[in-house]
Amino acid sequence: MKHRTLAIILIFGSLLISGCGNSSSTKNQQRARIMVMPSDQLLDRFKSLDQNVINGRVITGRNYEKYYLNDSDAKFIISSIQDGFIKYGYPINDLEQTLKSIGDREIIDEVSGVKKDAKTVLLNSAHPDIIIEVDYNSQKDYSTRSVQKVLSYSIRAIDAVTSKVVATIQDAKVSGNGKERLSSVELLQMALSEKMEGFTQSIDEYFSRIGREGREITVRITLDKNSALSMKSELSNGDVLADFIIDFMKVNTLGGSYNMALNTISEMYFTDVRIKTSFNDGTQYSAYDFARDVARSFREDLNIQCRNETQGLGDAQIVIH
């Protein structure tokens, strides 16, 4: 009887372990791809941010290479945060390695000769799902008997496509509580160990939701200044160009979800456009890919030529010839 009872307990225990393993495996699937980046405030603090007015627009210039040189803790801070996400099973786009792979390519706009924003180039090259934006500052606390370093930090998870803030963790005063003199990196690691689980849970919930409901982008369709067409032009099939575009949006957005924000004779602009997040093979589907599908439909269905001028991850732009 004892042997039979023991056997039942062992079988039940193995089922529990198997069930827990499956749950953990499921939880680790479809993790958001992460890129850890310094915030603009952090770049500014280390004299790696500048703003210029070009054609009436304020252009922010971010110099990440200069930040790495000016902040002696930069590599260790970013690496420690990345390590925290790796332990939770997230794929990582390493900022420093991406910078090296880009080099000087794509930094200068071929048409205008103007230097492109480094952040836009990085995101277009790496295609992360979530940006982990880091801001921190450390200073000495003279109120203690042994002068210690005190850290304040803010870490935000931001949708790389929409720039929506997904989750935030922050603390105005992290210290070693008089036990020992800790470095900025050690203080941050200590703080993150207490908050990473809730932080990653918020990221998982958000990423799971956009997987079901689609990712939001904007779509702008304009006419080239030399185009003989207008949005009110009748097509060979008797349809109107603007109506064809609206029909395309209804069919090719998730749940027909979009908002027409502008409809003029030369431009149509849509916000809150929900698109799928990936192709069938799991690779990321972005605003550029959606714009490419729009352009293909124009060529194949209407014999209308156009060009895809999409630059960022979340703003599709098509120009009709």
Side-chain angles (χ1 to χ4, degrees):
M1 185 66 180
K2 288 182 179 179
H3 292 295
R4 185 178 176 184
T5 303
L6 179 60
I8 292 171
I9 291 172
L10 289 173
I11 291 170
F12 183 67
S14 66
L15 287 172
L16 281 175
I17 293 170
S18 174
C20 291
N22 290 337
S23 174
S24 175
S25 171
T26 302
K27 185 178 179 181
N28 289 333
Q29 290 176 357
Q30 295 298 318
R31 292 280 194 175
R33 183 166 289 277
I34 299 294
M35 176 175 266
V36 182
M37 305 181 78
S39 68
D40 284 356
Q41 293 87 343
L42 187 55
L43 290 175
D44 190 40
R45 199 173 300 124
F46 285 93
K47 303 186 185 308
S48 306
L49 186 80
D50 59 76
Q51 292 185 326
N52 299 294
V53 178
I54 301 175
N55 297 327
R57 295 175 56 199
V58 178
I59 306 298
T60 300
R62 300 171 175 89
N63 192 329
Y64 295 103
E65 291 92 343
K66 187 176 180 181
Y67 164 68
Y68 271 109
L69 291 172
N70 291 349
D71 183 2
S72 59
D73 286 331
K75 289 184 180 182
F76 306 106
I77 288 284
I78 290 176
S79 293
S80 66
I81 296 172
Q82 287 182 170
D83 289 344
F85 279 98
I86 289 171
K87 289 176 183 177
Y88 277 83
Y90 289 88
I92 299 294
N93 288 124
D94 182 78
L95 174 62
E96 190 175 18
Q97 290 304 315
T98 305
L99 285 169
K100 289 178 181 177
S101 70
I102 291 173
D104 291 328
R105 70 179 174 87
E106 298 182 355
I107 296 296
I108 304 297
D109 189 284
E110 294 179 359
V111 177
S112 65
V114 175
K115 190 173 182 179
K116 293 181 181 178
D117 173 38
K119 184 176 181 179
T120 301
V121 175
L122 278 167
L123 297 182
N124 283 337
S125 178
H127 293 283
D129 296 301
I130 299 291
I131 299 167
I132 302 300
E133 186 185 79
V134 185
D135 186 21
Y136 77 95
N137 194 20
S138 61
Q139 54 189 2
K140 292 181 178 179
D141 182 6
Y142 293 96
S143 64
T144 56
R145 180 175 297 178
S146 59
V147 178
Q148 292 188 327
K149 186 172 285 188
V150 176
L151 179 79
S152 62
Y153 75 91
S154 173
I155 300 177
R156 302 194 302 169
I158 301 172
D159 188 322
V161 174
T162 64
S163 297
K164 287 185 177 179
V165 178
V166 176
T168 302
I169 52 174
Q170 57 188 2
D171 200 324
K173 189 176 182 180
V174 181
S175 66
N177 296 321
K179 295 178 182 178
E180 53 186 317
R181 294 182 179 181
L182 301 178
S183 68
S184 298
V185 178
E186 290 169 326
L187 288 170
L188 184 60
Q189 288 174 334
M190 182 179 70
L192 289 181
S193 66
E194 301 171 357
K195 298 186 178 182
M196 275 295 283
E197 186 168 350
F199 192 49
T200 56
Q201 184 176 348
S202 296
I203 294 172
D204 287 344
E205 289 172 356
Y206 177 81
F207 195 63
S208 176
R209 186 166 66 253
I210 64 171
R212 295 190 307 270
E213 300 174 359
R215 172 163 267 153
E216 286 185 8
I217 65 169
T218 63
V219 177
R220 185 186 302 275
I221 304 174
T222 59
L223 295 170
D224 185 87
K225 61 181 180 180
N226 297 318
S227 176
L229 296 170
S230 81
M231 292 299 178
K232 308 304 177 186
S233 294
E234 281 198 18
L235 308 173
S236 56
N237 62 1
D239 208 350
V240 174
L241 181 55
D243 292 339
F244 176 87
I245 293 170
I246 291 171
D247 288 342
F248 180 92
M249 299 294 289
K250 287 178 180 177
V251 173
N252 293 279
T253 54
L254 290 185
S257 179
Y258 65 89
N259 172 55
M260 185 168 63
L262 184 66
N263 180 14
T264 70
I265 198 167
S266 61
E267 178 180 352
M268 296 187 76
Y269 180 60
F270 301 89
T271 61
D272 306 325
V273 179
R274 289 198 175 270
I275 63 171
K276 62 185 180 182
T277 57
S278 61
F279 289 98
N280 293 334
D281 63 359
T283 55
Q284 189 186 70
Y285 183 86
S286 66
Y288 184 91
D289 300 304
F290 186 82
R292 186 170 58 179
D293 289 341
V294 174
R296 183 184 296 116
S297 181
F298 281 154
R299 288 192 302 270
E300 295 178 357
D301 299 333
L302 303 177
N303 197 29
I304 291 177
Q305 298 303 308
C306 55
R307 62 184 185 271
N308 185 353
E309 292 198 346
T310 303
Q311 294 296 324
L313 295 180
D315 303 300
Q317 182 159 340
I318 306 99
V319 179
I320 299 172
H321 295 170

